Amino acid sequence: MTLLVLVGLPLLGALLLLVPAERLMPGDAAVRAYGAVVSGLTFAVALFALARFDFDEPSRMQLGLNKPWASSIGLRFHLGLDGISLPLVVLTALLTFLCFLYTIKHPPTAPAGGSAPTGGSARLLTGLLLVLEVGLLGTFVSLDLILFFVFFEVVLIPMYVVIALWGGPGRRAAAYKFILYTLLGSGLLLVGMLLIAVNADTLDMTLLARRHGEGIGRNLQITAFVLMGLGFAVKAPMWPLHTWLPDAHTEAPTVGSVLLAGVLLKMGTYGFVRVAVPAAPEGAQFWAPYLGFLAVVGIVYGALACLAQTDLKRMIAYSSVGHMGFVLLGIATLTPVGINAALFGNIAHGLITGLLFFLAGGVKERYGTGDMEKLGGGMLTKAPHLASILTFAAIASLGLPGLAGFWGEMLALLGAYKPHADLPRETFVTFMVVGGLGAVLTAAYFLRMLAKLTHGPVSGVELSAPGRVAGISVYEYMAWVPLIALTLLVGLWPKTLLEVTTAPVRALLGGG
């Protein structure tokens, strides 16, 4: 029942917003506080699941629920939690709660001349974010292929509307591109899943993982994997299917960007690990070199694109292409080290890039622009606390040892050095070298950004209200400090995650 409450609580919270209750929530501030309460309770349930989880058996599905959904066609409402999904569930609940805390005093607003609804806009935004949380959590706990697909699709409309109504000047085009790319990917994903389900005669993801492709022909696995892989790659996003991401991030409001980067991108890489690789292992082996090639191209391309950007949010968006390239490279190795690197990288990217987008929103709120050329330097003088946290997030993202960003990238490169025995080692060693070059370029663009904004000469751009916003508000601290603390915790004690994920990863790869 724990997982049913976890998914059902934000859904109930969203449905209650449909009931006219102006006396109970007389203004937008009360509605935003309501969202924080509901997401806080959901986070509490996630922590309860964490407390009840048996860490001695992380590969076993726990806290499960398995009930008939549509018996005539074999659909079941099947939920469960293991060491692969547990960190993502906690991350999702945490980031959603922090976003609601942030919006209490920093609500998104449409740009001048925008079309965001005025009456009830807080109610609509709160409802959309809660539905988005339902889809995200449901994806990570679903163990039936069709149920997984339903939750996978639930996130699309809320994110589309958040971008389209509360985004920047180019929000409509960005929202259209987001929905078109992801819908096309979803169509391919559904076909691939149905090919597996029909030929395996089951929709049960745990059974498919135990069978490890047994009873499904090699050619069919190759076809199903590429179809599912394209669907997941759009969400990840993998180069060259990434072009929706920079526009969506640049135009989305701060909370939209945080959830998009922090959790929504992880749905694609999680799908590779949870569904595609264990259900079609021979297909995964066939396509792994191609996946690795596209991953390292994305790493280098993302870094070079970042060096060419002048907008802070757009630079952070392109950095996600590179960071998720390391995650995909880890998956392509088909080894426990590589898959663990991918799962570690997912969590590290969610923490660090979520913090970076919060900070980018803070910069734009204070200066009225995110253009690094216009911002100039001197932030350490004008807003020292903000500049200090931005510096921390940047060095965490570039992979400084001792912080969370280091381990995912290092382990992905280690996995590429020694890939699965049936994969071409020379090819993957080449990928490792190219990926290492991408890591150097990552350091280059973040150091360039810090040189421009924090350590450069003082610019002529003034804070919009120096006495009021040069410091950091209580709600900003409440949203940012947990991410800073977890970045340090996971970076200094990587076994916090690795001990949870290693056993289930080995089981998914057929190692028991």
Side-chain angles (χ1 to χ4, degrees):
M1 288 298 293
T2 302
L3 298 183
L4 183 62
V5 174
L6 180 73
V7 176
L9 191 56
L11 178 60
L12 177 62
L15 292 175
L16 288 177
L17 288 170
L18 298 175
V19 179
E22 284 74 13
R23 291 185 179 180
L24 294 177
M25 289 182 281
D28 286 355
V31 174
R32 290 193 291 269
Y34 168 81
V37 170
V38 174
S39 60
L41 290 173
T42 305
F43 180 50
V45 176
L47 292 179
F48 179 72
L50 180 67
R52 288 192 59 195
F53 190 82
D54 183 358
F55 289 94
D56 291 331
E57 295 185 274
S59 59
R60 177 174 60 87
M61 285 296 171
Q62 302 179 36
L63 309 176
L65 176 69
N66 191 357
K67 300 290 183 181
W69 183 19
S71 302
S72 58
I73 53 175
L75 300 185
R76 301 187 67 82
F77 196 84
H78 190 184
L79 307 177
L81 203 61
D82 68 353
I84 292 174
S85 51
L86 177 66
L88 287 167
V89 165
V90 176
L91 176 68
T92 301
L94 171 64
L95 281 178
T96 307
F97 177 49
L98 298 182
C99 283
F100 274 110
L101 284 179
Y102 183 80
T103 59
I104 290 177
K105 290 298 182 184
H106 304 271
T109 55
S115 58
T118 52
S121 61
R123 186 179 291 265
L124 176 59
L125 178 64
T126 300
L128 290 169
L129 293 180
L130 288 174
V131 172
L132 181 64
E133 184 177 22
V134 172
L136 293 167
L137 291 171
T139 298
F140 297 136
V141 299
S142 295
L143 296 176
D144 178 277
L145 282 179
I146 299 301
L147 183 64
F148 174 92
F149 183 79
V150 169
F151 281 120
F152 197 84
E153 295 302 289
V154 163
V155 304
L156 299 186
I157 298 303
M159 183 56 72
Y160 165 80
V161 177
V162 168
I163 297 171
L165 294 186
W166 285 274
R171 60 194 179 281
R172 291 299 177 86
Y176 289 149
K177 185 181 286 189
F178 164 76
I179 199 74
L180 290 174
Y181 266 78
T182 49
L183 282 176
L184 176 60
S186 297
L188 297 173
L189 172 62
L190 181 60
V191 174
M193 283 183 165
L194 290 178
L195 279 175
I196 291 293
V198 169
N199 286 273
D201 196 29
T202 183
L203 294 166
D204 190 323
M205 291 159 58
T206 60
L207 183 57
L208 288 170
R210 286 198 300 271
R211 289 180 180 176
H212 206 61
E214 182 182 346
I216 305 175
R218 182 173 186 271
N219 290 336
L220 184 64
Q221 287 192 38
I222 291 172
T223 303
F225 186 90
V226 73
L227 291 171
M228 291 188 292
L230 286 170
F232 291 134
V234 170
K235 271 286 203 326
M238 179 181 72
W239 183 91
L241 303 174
H242 70 284
T243 56
W244 62 269
L245 181 70
D247 291 338
H249 270 314
T250 303
E251 302 301 332
T254 297
V255 292
S257 292
V258 170
L259 291 176
L260 184 60
V263 190
L264 195 139
L265 302 188
K266 313 304 177 288
M267 297 169 67
T269 50
Y270 173 80
F272 271 109
V273 175
R274 175 65 74 196
V275 181
V277 171
E282 291 187 71
Q285 183 180 322
F286 178 86
W287 290 109
Y290 302 96
L291 178 60
F293 171 76
L294 294 175
V296 295
V297 171
I299 292 169
V300 175
Y301 169 85
L304 293 175
C306 286
L307 286 169
Q309 301 308 309
T310 58
D311 183 86
L312 181 58
K313 282 190 74 174
R314 199 168 185 85
M315 190 207 77
I316 299 170
Y318 273 110
S319 77
S320 291
V321 177
H323 289 309
M324 298 311 289
F326 281 103
V327 173
L328 291 166
L329 176 61
I331 294 171
T333 67
L334 301 181
T335 62
V337 171
I339 302 292
N340 270 310
L343 297 174
F344 200 108
N346 271 341
I347 301 302
H349 180 265
L351 296 171
I352 298 169
T353 307
L355 177 60
L356 280 169
F357 275 114
F358 270 133
L359 293 166
V363 169
K364 190 166 186 178
E365 179 183 338
R366 287 161 172 79
Y367 288 90
T369 181
D371 190 319
M372 291 187 285
E373 299 298 331
K374 293 180 180 178
L375 286 168
M379 192 180 294
L380 277 170
T381 301
K382 295 182 177 182
H385 295 167
L386 179 65
S388 299
I389 298 176
L390 180 61
T391 301
F392 171 84
I395 63 173
S397 192
L398 64 81
L400 185 75
L403 299 176
F406 170 74
W407 296 103
E409 295 182 6
M410 186 274 289
L411 290 173
L413 296 177
L414 182 62
Y417 181 74
K418 193 175 181 181
H420 189 278
D422 294 328
L423 296 177
R425 184 168 184 265
E426 296 80 5
T427 301
F428 275 83
V429 170
T430 304
F431 294 161
M432 180 196 72
V433 173
V434 177
L437 173 63
V440 174
L441 292 172
T442 300
Y445 66 74
F446 272 116
L447 292 175
R448 168 180 170 269
M449 181 268 286
L450 292 175
K452 279 180 173 289
L453 298 186
T454 62
H455 295 75
V458 178
S459 72
V461 179
E462 296 297 331
L463 292 166
S464 57
R468 182 170 59 87
V469 297
I472 298 175
S473 72
V474 172
Y475 288 93
E476 286 175 318
Y477 273 125
M478 291 169 67
W480 302 350
V481 168
L483 301 180
I484 296 170
L486 288 171
T487 298
L488 285 167
L489 173 66
V490 173
L492 292 172
W493 290 280
K495 72 175 185 178
T496 306
L497 282 179
L498 293 175
E499 287 189 349
V500 178
T501 59
T502 297
V505 163
R506 290 185 181 278
L508 280 180
L509 292 176

